[in-house]
Amino acid sequence: MISSMTGYAVKTRDVERGSLQLELKSVNSRYLDFHFRVTEELRSLEMPLRELLASRLTRGKVECRLAFNATAARGDQLQLNDDLFASLKNLNDRVRGEMPEARALSVNDVLRWPGMFGDQSIDFVALGPEVMALAREALADFSATRGREGEKLAAMIVDRVNGMREIVRQVAPRIPEAQALFTDKLRQRLTEALGNASDDRILQEVAVFATRIDVAEELSRLNTHLDEVERVLKQGGACGKRLDFLMQELNREANTLGSKSAITEVSQAAMDLKLLIEQMREQIQNLE
């Protein structure tokens, strides 16, 4: 599967006393670059999360957000700590007995007393398996979005490859005839310019020039590189860097084609090829 470096996913999971939310998003980058925004209580899970993501991703600037949202307990879930309540009552009665002017504990004082509703702390260490399960779900969705985007980009690249093949197919048959006409004109001009020069000298000059404007090798290499682009796309996986290298090779052949052109058809073909190569390069920059 071909994957884009652009993706997004968010997953939420209800746990005791709250909910976990994990969000993943990524954009283009030459390398794999992680940025974590993790709630402080779950900071110890950053390294396992990093290892999990690195096992599935190869390129892209990836941002991972992990948060815990606590929920308030319902009234029917609250239970007073009877022992603590009795101790507070006895202490309140004792203090009031010895210091009648002291203010008695209010209901609010009692209910807000630490531990009055038992242990309300959250065991964040125990949430580790829940977080990792949530991360695997989010990563599956995240990879799927990158895969769908990658397939669209691959289809666009194939369209450009077919466009380049069509340009080569149309221009290739025209080149031998056009070059023959051009060399005939060159022979006539050389004969007129050199006057008494031998036929061998003229033929030698024409042969040298014919070699300089022969683009058969460039067209052949173009087709070879296009074959490799299609092979890499069919193979799938992380192929962005390989395809980017092939774009450089295609661009080199198109430039050479343009510089050796002796006829308008080849010059136009070289420009059209370079335009399609640039379009492919822009799409490939998004691939993993």
Side-chain angles (χ1 to χ4, degrees):
M1 181 177 70
I2 302 293
S3 293
S4 167
M5 283 189 281
T6 303
Y8 179 81
V10 60
K11 283 288 185 179
T12 302
R13 171 173 292 209
D14 291 331
V15 294
E16 186 178 359
R17 298 182 183 175
S19 64
L20 293 166
Q21 184 180 74
L22 192 142
E23 180 184 36
L24 294 172
K25 58 182 178 181
S26 66
V27 294
N28 302 346
S29 177
R30 292 183 62 188
Y31 309 103
L32 184 59
D33 185 14
F34 289 122
H35 292 268
F36 286 89
R37 298 178 182 272
V38 181
T39 186
E40 193 60 38
E41 294 83 357
L42 297 171
R43 182 67 62 183
S44 62
L45 296 173
E46 180 176 325
M47 186 55 67
L49 286 172
R50 183 184 294 270
E51 292 174 354
L52 174 65
L53 296 176
S55 69
R56 293 282 298 275
L57 309 174
T58 57
R59 284 210 303 168
K61 183 177 180 180
V62 183
E63 183 175 323
C64 175
R65 292 173 178 265
L66 174 62
F68 175 80
N69 301 308
T71 55
R74 300 196 311 268
D76 59 0
Q77 294 177 321
L78 298 176
Q79 297 291 330
L80 288 178
N81 184 332
D82 293 334
D83 291 339
L84 180 58
F85 181 74
S87 296
L88 281 178
K89 183 178 181 301
N90 292 334
L91 288 171
N92 181 69
D93 292 344
R94 180 178 173 183
V95 171
R96 292 295 305 282
E98 297 185 9
M99 302 174 63
E101 70 281 3
R103 182 179 65 86
L105 288 172
S106 66
V107 173
N108 189 51
D109 292 333
V110 173
L111 294 181
R112 297 183 62 180
W113 198 273
M116 182 53 67
F117 293 106
D119 185 7
Q120 295 293 308
S121 62
I122 299 171
D123 186 358
F124 286 98
V125 174
L127 290 178
E130 295 281 2
V131 170
M132 297 310 296
L134 181 64
R136 284 188 286 271
E137 292 178 8
L139 182 56
D141 281 0
F142 181 69
S143 298
T145 63
R146 284 165 59 114
R148 289 191 295 270
E149 178 70 15
E151 291 302 317
K152 292 178 182 178
L153 292 171
M156 295 170 68
I157 293 170
V158 170
D159 284 343
R160 270 62 178 185
V161 168
N162 292 334
M164 292 181 67
R165 289 192 187 280
E166 181 62 20
I167 292 172
V168 172
R169 187 188 68 79
Q170 290 182 359
V171 76
R174 289 279 298 117
I175 291 175
E177 178 185 355
Q179 288 179 331
L181 292 174
F182 197 86
T183 52
D184 284 342
K185 291 181 180 179
L186 178 64
R187 185 182 296 110
Q188 294 175 7
R189 292 175 182 175
L190 287 174
T191 300
E192 296 172 358
L194 296 177
N196 297 328
S198 66
D199 289 342
D200 290 342
R201 169 77 183 279
I202 293 174
L203 291 175
Q204 183 179 7
E205 292 293 335
V206 171
V208 169
F209 187 78
T211 301
R212 290 177 181 173
I213 65 173
D214 184 7
V215 294
E217 185 175 347
E218 284 72 21
L219 294 179
S220 176
R221 285 200 294 262
L222 273 169
N223 279 320
T224 299
H225 294 326
L226 292 174
D227 290 342
E228 181 65 9
V229 170
E230 291 190 313
R231 187 195 70 79
V232 171
L233 289 173
K234 289 178 181 177
Q235 179 179 321
C239 60
K241 291 183 178 180
R242 174 59 180 166
L243 289 173
D244 186 63
F245 170 76
L246 288 171
M247 292 306 104
Q248 297 177 37
E249 296 300 305
L250 286 169
N251 198 58
R252 181 178 292 111
E253 300 303 334
N255 283 333
T256 304
L257 194 67
S259 66
K260 295 177 69 172
S261 173
I263 56 175
T264 303
E265 290 89 337
V266 174
S267 298
Q268 185 61 49
M271 289 190 291
D272 293 342
L273 289 170
K274 291 181 68 173
L275 176 61
L276 291 173
I277 293 168
E278 185 59 33
Q279 291 174 353
M280 283 195 292
R281 190 192 296 273
E282 290 178 0
Q283 292 147 8
I284 287 169
Q285 288 176 351
N286 294 314
L287 292 180
E288 188 175 8

